[in-house]
């Protein structure tokens, strides 16, 4: 696989800077030229995702057409069976190397199928709870889906499995609080913020990977949680207060870790919180056009600050390792 234009330019720059000799650069070109070209890995990966999704949809369609003719035990068995087929397919994609050791498209496809197995398992929990006339079926389904996705992510992490777990986290927190505790918007928002903090801490501890994606999901959960009180009866100060606090925390995290995604979360949080603060302080006296104008100004200023912080930030040890 020959070097691309960008890679060749970078290699020549390293030679001109004296960091590599001409012989070393030639050895790099030779190594890349001898590497096999993988042309169809993405196709197998896409097939794995599509196949898993089709299995889940097919099971739901089957249950939909024959719902009244099947007993609860048969419904649960079919859904668990679909999940088992997904796990077997994931194992087949991983091959002899095993789920954890398989890299590239095969590993990502295996991880995606494992994560998708959480959908029929959650549906099975919903049906099983419904058979007992339990009023908390949504909670059981959400917690089952979350648990299954966490197991899948721990066995073989990939961007798809991390996103899947993030979605289950948001659903489980929201549904469980409303279903079991009859929580209002403020309680749900605080819980989502707490869930976001957990995601950020686990990502910084390298327990969730890719780390940048875990941080992005954690920041999104926290910012969304901060905005949720707007849809309830709590004073609006809770919304922009929580969102502003999240933005400040993202700035602090960025100053200590240099994780760019935290800077992005800070910009989004400030852009949301400041116009809401202005609207609340003026008691809604400013028209929509003025609020939109203020939002644009805040976004520009926050983005400029973020760019300045980014340009003056020293390169972290992790970034140096990646660059090397």
């Amino acid at each position: 696989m020959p070097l691309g234009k960008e890679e060749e330019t970078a290699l020549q720059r390293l030679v001109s800077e004296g960091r590599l000799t001409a012989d070393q650069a030639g050895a790099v070109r030779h190594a890349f030229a001898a590497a096999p070209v993988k042309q169809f890995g993405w196709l197998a990966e896409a097939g794995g995702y599509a196949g898993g999704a089709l299995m889940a949809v097919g099971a739901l369609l089957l249950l939909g057409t024959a719902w009244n003719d099947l007993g609860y035990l048969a419904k649960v068995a079919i859904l668990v069976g679909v999940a088992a087929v997904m796990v077997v397919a994931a194992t087949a994609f991983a091959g002899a190397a095993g789920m954890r050791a398989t890299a590239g498209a095969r590993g990502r496809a295996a991880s995606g199928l494992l994560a998708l197995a959480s959908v029929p398992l959650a549906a099975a929990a919903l049906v099983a709870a419904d058979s007992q006339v339990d009023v908390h079926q949504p909670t059981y389904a959400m917690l089952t889906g979350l648990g299954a996705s966490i197991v899948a992510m721990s066995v073989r992490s990939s961007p798809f499995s991390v996103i899947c777990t993030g979605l289950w986290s948001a659903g489980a927190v929201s549904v469980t609080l409303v279903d079991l505790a009859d929580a209002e918007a403020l309680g749900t928002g605080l819980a989502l913020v707490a869930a976001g903090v957990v995601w950020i801490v686990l990502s910084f501890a390298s327990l969730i990977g890719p780390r940048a994606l875990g941080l992005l999901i954690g920041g999104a959960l926290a910012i969304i949680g901060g905005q949720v009180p707007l849809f309830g009866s709590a004073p609006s100060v809770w919304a922009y207060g929580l969102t502003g606090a999240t933005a400040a925390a993202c700035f602090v995290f960025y100053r200590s870790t240099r994780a760019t995604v935290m800077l992005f979360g800070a910009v989004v949080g400030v852009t949301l919180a400041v116009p809401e603060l202005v609207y609340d302080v003026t008691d809604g006296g400013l028209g929509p056009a003025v609020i939109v104008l203020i939002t644009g100004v805040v976004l520009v200023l926050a983005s400029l600050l973020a760019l300045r912080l980014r340009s003056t930030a020293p390169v972290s040890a992790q970034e140096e390792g990646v660059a090397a």
Side-chain angles (χ1 to χ4, degrees), residues 190-204 208 214-215 217-223 246 249 253:
L190 289 171
L192 286 172
V193 171
V197 171
V198 171
W199 268 82
I200 291 173
V201 171
L202 292 178
S203 298
F204 274 126
I208 296 177
L215 293 175
I217 291 175
L221 286 173
I223 291 175
T246 299
F253 273 123

PDB file of all heavy atoms in Angstrom, residues 190-204 208 214-215 217-223 246 249 253:
ATOM      1  N   LEU A 190     -30.953  16.619  36.694  1.00  0.00           N
ATOM      2  CA  LEU A 190     -29.826  16.416  37.613  1.00  0.00           C
ATOM      3  C   LEU A 190     -29.231  15.020  37.450  1.00  0.00           C
ATOM      4  O   LEU A 190     -28.007  14.850  37.495  1.00  0.00           O
ATOM      5  CB  LEU A 190     -30.292  16.619  39.058  1.00  0.00           C
ATOM      6  CG  LEU A 190     -30.620  18.065  39.451  1.00  0.00           C
ATOM      7  CD1 LEU A 190     -31.278  18.101  40.832  1.00  0.00           C
ATOM      8  CD2 LEU A 190     -29.354  18.923  39.457  1.00  0.00           C
ATOM      9  N   ALA A 191     -30.092  14.030  37.250  1.00  0.00           N
ATOM     10  CA  ALA A 191     -29.603  12.661  37.064  1.00  0.00           C
ATOM     11  C   ALA A 191     -28.800  12.532  35.767  1.00  0.00           C
ATOM     12  O   ALA A 191     -27.778  11.836  35.722  1.00  0.00           O
ATOM     13  CB  ALA A 191     -30.775  11.686  37.072  1.00  0.00           C
ATOM     14  N   LEU A 192     -29.258  13.185  34.707  1.00  0.00           N
ATOM     15  CA  LEU A 192     -28.514  13.143  33.445  1.00  0.00           C
ATOM     16  C   LEU A 192     -27.162  13.843  33.572  1.00  0.00           C
ATOM     17  O   LEU A 192     -26.155  13.389  33.004  1.00  0.00           O
ATOM     18  CB  LEU A 192     -29.336  13.776  32.330  1.00  0.00           C
ATOM     19  CG  LEU A 192     -30.507  12.945  31.803  1.00  0.00           C
ATOM     20  CD1 LEU A 192     -31.365  13.762  30.843  1.00  0.00           C
ATOM     21  CD2 LEU A 192     -30.014  11.680  31.109  1.00  0.00           C
ATOM     22  N   VAL A 193     -27.132  14.948  34.304  1.00  0.00           N
ATOM     23  CA  VAL A 193     -25.855  15.623  34.545  1.00  0.00           C
ATOM     24  C   VAL A 193     -24.907  14.692  35.303  1.00  0.00           C
ATOM     25  O   VAL A 193     -23.721  14.574  34.962  1.00  0.00           O
ATOM     26  CB  VAL A 193     -26.063  16.930  35.327  1.00  0.00           C
ATOM     27  CG1 VAL A 193     -24.721  17.519  35.764  1.00  0.00           C
ATOM     28  CG2 VAL A 193     -26.820  17.939  34.479  1.00  0.00           C
ATOM     29  N   ALA A 194     -25.440  14.013  36.333  1.00  0.00           N
ATOM     30  CA  ALA A 194     -24.618  13.071  37.092  1.00  0.00           C
ATOM     31  C   ALA A 194     -24.110  11.931  36.198  1.00  0.00           C
ATOM     32  O   ALA A 194     -22.949  11.515  36.298  1.00  0.00           O
ATOM     33  CB  ALA A 194     -25.416  12.508  38.263  1.00  0.00           C
ATOM     34  N   ALA A 195     -24.985  11.442  35.314  1.00  0.00           N
ATOM     35  CA  ALA A 195     -24.565  10.389  34.385  1.00  0.00           C
ATOM     36  C   ALA A 195     -23.458  10.894  33.466  1.00  0.00           C
ATOM     37  O   ALA A 195     -22.496  10.169  33.168  1.00  0.00           O
ATOM     38  CB  ALA A 195     -25.761   9.910  33.562  1.00  0.00           C
ATOM     39  N   GLY A 196     -23.574  12.142  33.018  1.00  0.00           N
ATOM     40  CA  GLY A 196     -22.529  12.720  32.186  1.00  0.00           C
ATOM     41  C   GLY A 196     -21.199  12.800  32.919  1.00  0.00           C
ATOM     42  O   GLY A 196     -20.133  12.521  32.340  1.00  0.00           O
ATOM     43  N   VAL A 197     -21.244  13.176  34.189  1.00  0.00           N
ATOM     44  CA  VAL A 197     -20.016  13.243  34.994  1.00  0.00           C
ATOM     45  C   VAL A 197     -19.379  11.857  35.106  1.00  0.00           C
ATOM     46  O   VAL A 197     -18.151  11.712  34.998  1.00  0.00           O
ATOM     47  CB  VAL A 197     -20.318  13.817  36.387  1.00  0.00           C
ATOM     48  CG1 VAL A 197     -19.102  13.694  37.300  1.00  0.00           C
ATOM     49  CG2 VAL A 197     -20.757  15.275  36.286  1.00  0.00           C
ATOM     50  N   VAL A 198     -20.199  10.834  35.317  1.00  0.00           N
ATOM     51  CA  VAL A 198     -19.682   9.467  35.406  1.00  0.00           C
ATOM     52  C   VAL A 198     -18.985   9.078  34.105  1.00  0.00           C
ATOM     53  O   VAL A 198     -17.885   8.497  34.111  1.00  0.00           O
ATOM     54  CB  VAL A 198     -20.813   8.481  35.739  1.00  0.00           C
ATOM     55  CG1 VAL A 198     -20.334   7.038  35.608  1.00  0.00           C
ATOM     56  CG2 VAL A 198     -21.330   8.734  37.146  1.00  0.00           C
ATOM     57  N   TRP A 199     -19.614   9.388  32.970  1.00  0.00           N
ATOM     58  CA  TRP A 199     -19.011   9.074  31.675  1.00  0.00           C
ATOM     59  C   TRP A 199     -17.668   9.794  31.506  1.00  0.00           C
ATOM     60  O   TRP A 199     -16.692   9.199  31.020  1.00  0.00           O
ATOM     61  CB  TRP A 199     -19.960   9.484  30.545  1.00  0.00           C
ATOM     62  CG  TRP A 199     -20.865   8.383  30.101  1.00  0.00           C
ATOM     63  CD1 TRP A 199     -22.035   8.004  30.688  1.00  0.00           C
ATOM     64  CD2 TRP A 199     -20.670   7.513  28.980  1.00  0.00           C
ATOM     65  NE1 TRP A 199     -22.585   6.952  30.000  1.00  0.00           N
ATOM     66  CE2 TRP A 199     -21.775   6.628  28.947  1.00  0.00           C
ATOM     67  CE3 TRP A 199     -19.693   7.404  28.009  1.00  0.00           C
ATOM     68  CZ2 TRP A 199     -21.905   5.643  27.976  1.00  0.00           C
ATOM     69  CZ3 TRP A 199     -19.815   6.423  27.027  1.00  0.00           C
ATOM     70  CH2 TRP A 199     -20.912   5.553  27.026  1.00  0.00           C
ATOM     71  N   ILE A 200     -17.601  11.053  31.893  1.00  0.00           N
ATOM     72  CA  ILE A 200     -16.360  11.819  31.744  1.00  0.00           C
ATOM     73  C   ILE A 200     -15.263  11.239  32.618  1.00  0.00           C
ATOM     74  O   ILE A 200     -14.116  11.069  32.172  1.00  0.00           O
ATOM     75  CB  ILE A 200     -16.618  13.300  32.078  1.00  0.00           C
ATOM     76  CG1 ILE A 200     -17.509  13.928  31.007  1.00  0.00           C
ATOM     77  CG2 ILE A 200     -15.304  14.068  32.200  1.00  0.00           C
ATOM     78  CD1 ILE A 200     -17.960  15.338  31.329  1.00  0.00           C
ATOM     79  N   VAL A 201     -15.600  10.916  33.863  1.00  0.00           N
ATOM     80  CA  VAL A 201     -14.601  10.358  34.777  1.00  0.00           C
ATOM     81  C   VAL A 201     -14.087   9.009  34.266  1.00  0.00           C
ATOM     82  O   VAL A 201     -12.875   8.750  34.251  1.00  0.00           O
ATOM     83  CB  VAL A 201     -15.198  10.214  36.188  1.00  0.00           C
ATOM     84  CG1 VAL A 201     -14.254   9.423  37.100  1.00  0.00           C
ATOM     85  CG2 VAL A 201     -15.474  11.584  36.794  1.00  0.00           C
ATOM     86  N   LEU A 202     -15.004   8.147  33.835  1.00  0.00           N
ATOM     87  CA  LEU A 202     -14.590   6.838  33.330  1.00  0.00           C
ATOM     88  C   LEU A 202     -13.766   6.959  32.056  1.00  0.00           C
ATOM     89  O   LEU A 202     -12.831   6.183  31.834  1.00  0.00           O
ATOM     90  CB  LEU A 202     -15.828   5.965  33.074  1.00  0.00           C
ATOM     91  CG  LEU A 202     -16.614   5.527  34.306  1.00  0.00           C
ATOM     92  CD1 LEU A 202     -17.841   4.713  33.898  1.00  0.00           C
ATOM     93  CD2 LEU A 202     -15.744   4.726  35.256  1.00  0.00           C
ATOM     94  N   SER A 203     -14.081   7.951  31.227  1.00  0.00           N
ATOM     95  CA  SER A 203     -13.311   8.147  29.997  1.00  0.00           C
ATOM     96  C   SER A 203     -11.905   8.633  30.314  1.00  0.00           C
ATOM     97  O   SER A 203     -10.918   8.178  29.719  1.00  0.00           O
ATOM     98  CB  SER A 203     -14.023   9.141  29.086  1.00  0.00           C
ATOM     99  OG  SER A 203     -15.297   8.654  28.693  1.00  0.00           O
ATOM    100  N   PHE A 204     -11.793   9.586  31.250  1.00  0.00           N
ATOM    101  CA  PHE A 204     -10.463  10.061  31.631  1.00  0.00           C
ATOM    102  C   PHE A 204      -9.642   8.953  32.293  1.00  0.00           C
ATOM    103  O   PHE A 204      -8.411   8.940  32.200  1.00  0.00           O
ATOM    104  CB  PHE A 204     -10.577  11.251  32.578  1.00  0.00           C
ATOM    105  CG  PHE A 204     -10.709  12.563  31.875  1.00  0.00           C
ATOM    106  CD1 PHE A 204     -11.753  13.420  32.167  1.00  0.00           C
ATOM    107  CD2 PHE A 204      -9.800  12.948  30.912  1.00  0.00           C
ATOM    108  CE1 PHE A 204     -11.885  14.633  31.519  1.00  0.00           C
ATOM    109  CE2 PHE A 204      -9.928  14.154  30.248  1.00  0.00           C
ATOM    110  CZ  PHE A 204     -10.971  15.003  30.552  1.00  0.00           C
ATOM    111  N   ILE A 208     -13.315   3.778  29.319  1.00  0.00           N
ATOM    112  CA  ILE A 208     -14.172   3.849  28.136  1.00  0.00           C
ATOM    113  C   ILE A 208     -13.308   4.326  26.984  1.00  0.00           C
ATOM    114  O   ILE A 208     -12.584   5.327  27.101  1.00  0.00           O
ATOM    115  CB  ILE A 208     -15.356   4.816  28.338  1.00  0.00           C
ATOM    116  CG1 ILE A 208     -16.289   4.305  29.443  1.00  0.00           C
ATOM    117  CG2 ILE A 208     -16.129   4.997  27.038  1.00  0.00           C
ATOM    118  CD1 ILE A 208     -17.448   5.239  29.750  1.00  0.00           C
ATOM    119  N   GLY A 214     -16.067   8.925  24.414  1.00  0.00           N
ATOM    120  CA  GLY A 214     -16.651   8.840  25.749  1.00  0.00           C
ATOM    121  C   GLY A 214     -16.813  10.207  26.391  1.00  0.00           C
ATOM    122  O   GLY A 214     -17.837  10.494  27.031  1.00  0.00           O
ATOM    123  N   LEU A 215     -15.820  11.073  26.217  1.00  0.00           N
ATOM    124  CA  LEU A 215     -15.918  12.438  26.742  1.00  0.00           C
ATOM    125  C   LEU A 215     -17.030  13.212  26.043  1.00  0.00           C
ATOM    126  O   LEU A 215     -17.766  13.978  26.680  1.00  0.00           O
ATOM    127  CB  LEU A 215     -14.586  13.164  26.555  1.00  0.00           C
ATOM    128  CG  LEU A 215     -13.401  12.640  27.375  1.00  0.00           C
ATOM    129  CD1 LEU A 215     -12.125  13.379  26.990  1.00  0.00           C
ATOM    130  CD2 LEU A 215     -13.662  12.770  28.861  1.00  0.00           C
ATOM    131  N   ILE A 217     -19.787  11.986  24.714  1.00  0.00           N
ATOM    132  CA  ILE A 217     -21.081  11.503  25.213  1.00  0.00           C
ATOM    133  C   ILE A 217     -21.336  12.028  26.621  1.00  0.00           C
ATOM    134  O   ILE A 217     -22.451  12.454  26.949  1.00  0.00           O
ATOM    135  CB  ILE A 217     -21.116   9.963  25.173  1.00  0.00           C
ATOM    136  CG1 ILE A 217     -21.138   9.482  23.721  1.00  0.00           C
ATOM    137  CG2 ILE A 217     -22.328   9.429  25.933  1.00  0.00           C
ATOM    138  CD1 ILE A 217     -21.041   7.981  23.580  1.00  0.00           C
ATOM    139  N   GLY A 218     -20.303  12.014  27.460  1.00  0.00           N
ATOM    140  CA  GLY A 218     -20.470  12.536  28.815  1.00  0.00           C
ATOM    141  C   GLY A 218     -20.841  14.004  28.812  1.00  0.00           C
ATOM    142  O   GLY A 218     -21.751  14.433  29.540  1.00  0.00           O
ATOM    143  N   GLY A 219     -20.154  14.799  27.979  1.00  0.00           N
ATOM    144  CA  GLY A 219     -20.491  16.211  27.895  1.00  0.00           C
ATOM    145  C   GLY A 219     -21.893  16.439  27.355  1.00  0.00           C
ATOM    146  O   GLY A 219     -22.621  17.312  27.838  1.00  0.00           O
ATOM    147  N   ALA A 220     -22.284  15.644  26.358  1.00  0.00           N
ATOM    148  CA  ALA A 220     -23.635  15.779  25.793  1.00  0.00           C
ATOM    149  C   ALA A 220     -24.701  15.445  26.834  1.00  0.00           C
ATOM    150  O   ALA A 220     -25.713  16.154  26.952  1.00  0.00           O
ATOM    151  CB  ALA A 220     -23.773  14.871  24.575  1.00  0.00           C
ATOM    152  N   LEU A 221     -24.487  14.368  27.602  1.00  0.00           N
ATOM    153  CA  LEU A 221     -25.446  14.005  28.651  1.00  0.00           C
ATOM    154  C   LEU A 221     -25.579  15.127  29.676  1.00  0.00           C
ATOM    155  O   LEU A 221     -26.690  15.466  30.111  1.00  0.00           O
ATOM    156  CB  LEU A 221     -25.010  12.716  29.338  1.00  0.00           C
ATOM    157  CG  LEU A 221     -25.203  11.419  28.568  1.00  0.00           C
ATOM    158  CD1 LEU A 221     -24.556  10.253  29.312  1.00  0.00           C
ATOM    159  CD2 LEU A 221     -26.683  11.132  28.334  1.00  0.00           C
ATOM    160  N   ALA A 222     -24.448  15.722  30.065  1.00  0.00           N
ATOM    161  CA  ALA A 222     -24.486  16.775  31.073  1.00  0.00           C
ATOM    162  C   ALA A 222     -25.190  18.025  30.551  1.00  0.00           C
ATOM    163  O   ALA A 222     -26.004  18.636  31.256  1.00  0.00           O
ATOM    164  CB  ALA A 222     -23.061  17.106  31.517  1.00  0.00           C
ATOM    165  N   ILE A 223     -24.889  18.418  29.310  1.00  0.00           N
ATOM    166  CA  ILE A 223     -25.512  19.619  28.751  1.00  0.00           C
ATOM    167  C   ILE A 223     -27.007  19.403  28.524  1.00  0.00           C
ATOM    168  O   ILE A 223     -27.832  20.274  28.821  1.00  0.00           O
ATOM    169  CB  ILE A 223     -24.810  20.025  27.448  1.00  0.00           C
ATOM    170  CG1 ILE A 223     -23.394  20.521  27.759  1.00  0.00           C
ATOM    171  CG2 ILE A 223     -25.603  21.099  26.713  1.00  0.00           C
ATOM    172  CD1 ILE A 223     -22.568  20.833  26.540  1.00  0.00           C
ATOM    173  N   THR A 246     -21.777  23.210  33.835  1.00  0.00           N
ATOM    174  CA  THR A 246     -21.183  22.185  32.971  1.00  0.00           C
ATOM    175  C   THR A 246     -20.127  22.796  32.054  1.00  0.00           C
ATOM    176  O   THR A 246     -19.044  22.225  31.854  1.00  0.00           O
ATOM    177  CB  THR A 246     -22.278  21.511  32.130  1.00  0.00           C
ATOM    178  OG1 THR A 246     -23.227  20.879  32.994  1.00  0.00           O
ATOM    179  CG2 THR A 246     -21.677  20.474  31.185  1.00  0.00           C
ATOM    180  N   ALA A 249     -17.050  23.513  34.062  1.00  0.00           N
ATOM    181  CA  ALA A 249     -16.340  22.268  34.355  1.00  0.00           C
ATOM    182  C   ALA A 249     -15.572  21.778  33.131  1.00  0.00           C
ATOM    183  O   ALA A 249     -14.449  21.269  33.246  1.00  0.00           O
ATOM    184  CB  ALA A 249     -17.325  21.207  34.838  1.00  0.00           C
ATOM    185  N   PHE A 253     -11.656  21.031  32.942  1.00  0.00           N
ATOM    186  CA  PHE A 253     -11.133  19.752  32.458  1.00  0.00           C
ATOM    187  C   PHE A 253     -10.162  19.976  31.300  1.00  0.00           C
ATOM    188  O   PHE A 253      -9.129  19.306  31.210  1.00  0.00           O
ATOM    189  CB  PHE A 253     -12.272  18.836  32.004  1.00  0.00           C
ATOM    190  CG  PHE A 253     -12.859  18.007  33.107  1.00  0.00           C
ATOM    191  CD1 PHE A 253     -14.217  18.066  33.417  1.00  0.00           C
ATOM    192  CD2 PHE A 253     -12.062  17.142  33.837  1.00  0.00           C
ATOM    193  CE1 PHE A 253     -14.750  17.300  34.430  1.00  0.00           C
ATOM    194  CE2 PHE A 253     -12.591  16.369  34.848  1.00  0.00           C
ATOM    195  CZ  PHE A 253     -13.935  16.445  35.148  1.00  0.00           C
TER     196      PHE A 253
END
